[in-house]
Amino acid sequence: MSILTAESRRDFEIHRYPVLVYALVPIAALVLQAWLPRVLGRFAWFDLPLVVTVFFALSRRNPIQGSILGGILGIAEDALTGLPIGINGIAKTLVGYLAASVGVLVNVENHAIRLVMTFVLSLVGSATYFFVVRFLLGMTSDTNWLMELCKALGNSLIALVLFPVLDRAKIRD
């Protein structure tokens, strides 16, 4: 009789995706993140690279991969926005690590859990961004926390739509 341990549970529930999904989804998220705020102006209440980082970190359940993906997407986002390189990289690295670490401990197949995780991790990413800008770089930052709550809500709503679409691309064994 086999007994499922935490390690075998983690190995059992890791999802795999085609290489094109790993390549094109983050690139599409970066392009849309750079382009849509110019079109929507101040109504751009979302962070697509963060949502993609959370999705792949929760699905792969590997903190190292989640951290690397978050760091790469964050640094690429910094390069596209003209901010000092590394601000979003640090925030999204932390978000990727936390998402994958929680994904190991909690069954994240439930859409409500994914929604709450995206909301909370979006706030963690915003707080980390604020901390880095204000305390590590010494720059002034006008942070409107009501706007950050709206952004977290927007990220959660995007995740509610995007996660089931990306789940369809899973490689089934």
Side-chain angles (χ1 to χ4, degrees):
M1 175 167 103
S2 68
I3 298 174
L4 288 178
T5 63
E7 196 63 29
S8 64
R9 179 178 170 263
R10 179 176 176 252
D11 291 340
F12 180 71
E13 295 179 352
I14 292 174
H15 302 295
R16 294 182 307 137
Y17 297 89
V19 174
L20 281 176
V21 171
Y22 281 124
L24 294 180
V25 170
I27 290 171
L30 286 169
V31 168
L32 288 173
Q33 185 67 34
W35 177 68
L36 284 177
R38 294 173 191 210
V39 174
L40 299 176
R42 58 177 236 205
F43 296 106
W45 293 348
F46 54 84
D47 187 354
L48 293 175
L50 182 128
V51 174
V52 169
T53 299
V54 169
F55 175 78
F56 283 119
L58 286 175
S59 298
R60 293 293 301 170
R61 299 175 189 241
N62 185 330
I64 295 171
Q65 289 178 352
S67 299
I68 291 171
L69 177 65
I72 289 171
L73 288 178
I75 290 171
E77 186 177 356
D78 286 336
L80 292 173
T81 59
L83 294 171
I85 300 293
I87 295 176
N88 281 310
I90 292 170
K92 286 183 180 51
T93 298
L94 179 64
V95 166
Y97 177 81
L98 291 174
S101 297
V102 171
V104 170
L105 302 173
V106 177
N107 182 10
V108 290
E109 297 302 318
N110 186 335
H111 294 295
I113 292 174
R114 286 177 167 185
L115 184 79
V116 170
M117 288 288 302
T118 305
F119 183 82
V120 169
L121 289 170
S122 181
L123 291 177
V124 167
S126 295
T128 305
Y129 178 88
F130 173 73
F131 178 80
V132 169
V133 168
R134 180 73 179 104
F135 296 109
L136 294 182
L137 295 178
M139 298 168 56
T140 58
S141 175
D142 296 331
T143 302
N144 181 354
W145 288 105
L146 180 61
M147 182 69 164
E148 295 303 322
L149 283 172
C150 291
K151 187 176 175 181
L153 183 63
N155 289 339
S156 299
L157 293 176
I158 289 171
L160 192 61
V161 174
L162 185 64
F163 286 6
V165 171
L166 291 176
D167 278 339
R168 291 179 177 249
K170 277 190 241 183
I171 295 176
R172 310 227 190 270
D173 292 328

